[in-house]
Amino acid sequence: MRTPLAFAIGSCLGQGKWAWFRKRSGLLSHFITFDEASRGPLGCVSLIWLLRSWHWASLGAWVTLALLAIDPFMQAVLLYDGQKDVVGLSDSRIPRATGMDVGEWSKETTLQLQYYGNNDVLSNYRVYPDIGMSMTTIFGFVNTSTTSPSQPPLVYCRTGNCTWPTYSSVGICSRCLDISEHLIKERGLGIPDESIFSKCYDSSSLFVTNYTTYAIPYSPVRRALIQNTNGFARKSACLPRARIGLSVVFRPNETYRFKDSNTLLASFALVELEAGYWNNQTAIEDAKARATECVLEFCGRVHEAEMRDGQVDESLVLETTLKPTNSFRPIREIAPDLMDRVEQDSKNSLAEFYITGFRSDSWGGIETVLERTDLQIQIPQTANLPGDVQETFNITQKSIVTLMNFLSANSTLDSITYAISNSTNLTTTFETAAHLISNRVREIDGSMANGFSEQWVIYIHVRWDYIYFPVIVLAAGYLFTIVVILDSFGFGPEVMKSDLLPTLLFGLDTQTRMSLRNEKSEEGKCKDRTLVMLNEDADGLALRTVT
């Protein structure tokens, strides 16, 4: 549109020079200015300066210049704006666990165990930990501290961009605190063979040497310790195969920092030596040791999640271990005096009376339990969650017993010890393990939280403010063209425009041309003093000198 109009206006400006000199006289330089204006913007500037915008021909010159700026305005008229819009409600799903019921057990009626002389208080169950949960637990610890937790399983989002509002799930949480003040440093003489990870454990070698032990008294079965002969690691004959010492307990009153925990699954004491010892830069007797206590607890978790380009980002809003007072109570009626003994023995522990760590592997082994109602985890009312968010979760006693049974096994604890030896950050390692176990719980439960899908939508906005200028310019151009066409009807025998041939045919007459030649030969140039006008006589149309 702009280019054809520019050609039309150029032709009209060319026609304008003939119309100007047909109606009035003028200097030859004015004729040249008109002609240059028909050929481009620079000539239009000269024409505007000449006419001072007082003649309709200057309108064509202004339009020609304005056409140069019309493209940016036309491009700015349409604004393309993209945003994510909801295209489906409740069509995306992310897993959540409404409760925890994992593992299997079967009651053994042939075995009986008395409890303060009573045969009907305790029961025996043959327990079978969930294989998937067991594998996930080990895999969680194998992941090093540099590995980020995996995304939730079984997420469905049709568009690859979805949002899930607040939802809750039951799972496992972790906490780690420093307990180095309880660390004991011992010096001994003999063979450092207390740790099963020592190369001298069950060794047939007999020798006596000085050795150093860093230990945390914890489980009555096995201390968490690192032990080796004095000196550098490379010169040791009893170098531990694991770079960390580990012990486990299952009752809060046996921990150092988590005695108030009401939902304790397991508590681990861990002993580490500085990297300088393992890199043969520091002797063990001079090495710095650190002890950490990390726990896994049953908890309720509140999440928000969104998926962008197929990647789920699940954020944790809060987690809680709040246990209602009426949960995890004995199922059977127990005499008040006997109930006092039960509460005194169990305190706030979820562990059964006879469970300890570092037991022989006993998949399908027997656990003695006091049958109880489900453990409940409750989200505090102060959280002010939306009304459709689940606030109470049930965890079966079967789940608690089978998980503790798996974590108390020798093979499990040995695998965890080897796995954690690669960790550079114990807190992150336990968080990763808890996250993966929680994901497995969600997968087993099979419940889903619904969200909404989003899609990128392009909106085209018309900015009318930017269209006014192009419309005015185009209208002015068309008006100028129409005026020139109408004026040309009374011009004469033909429309000459800016063609070269009319300039040759109807240019300067012989007298004017000879006068200019004489002026140039005498003074070296033509002075702009000659007034001419387009007149017609017996010889036809020509630009003639006006006297």
Side-chain angles (χ1 to χ4, degrees), residues 504-511 513 534-544:
L504 297 175
L505 294 176
F506 308 112
L508 298 175
D509 64 344
T510 304
Q511 180 182 353
R513 188 166 53 252
L534 186 64
N535 290 323
E536 187 173 5
D537 59 8
D539 295 329
L541 282 173
L543 288 172
R544 306 178 189 280

Side-chain angles (χ1 to χ4, degrees), residues 410-474:
N410 266 326
S411 60
T412 301
L413 295 171
D414 291 349
S415 298
I416 292 175
T417 302
Y418 278 118
I420 296 180
S421 293
N422 297 321
S423 174
T424 57
N425 188 313
L426 291 176
T427 300
T428 305
T429 297
F430 272 83
E431 287 176 353
T432 301
H435 185 89
L436 291 178
I437 297 171
S438 299
N439 281 352
R440 174 58 182 166
V441 174
R442 295 160 68 174
E443 191 175 10
I444 293 173
D445 184 82
S447 300
M448 292 288 175
N450 293 324
F452 50 86
S453 58
E454 300 165 301
Q455 196 167 28
W456 190 262
V457 179
I458 301 296
Y459 288 91
I460 302 176
H461 303 278
V462 178
R463 297 191 286 185
W464 296 103
D465 292 346
Y466 287 91
I467 206 171
Y468 296 147
F469 176 75
V471 169
I472 292 173
V473 171
L474 294 177

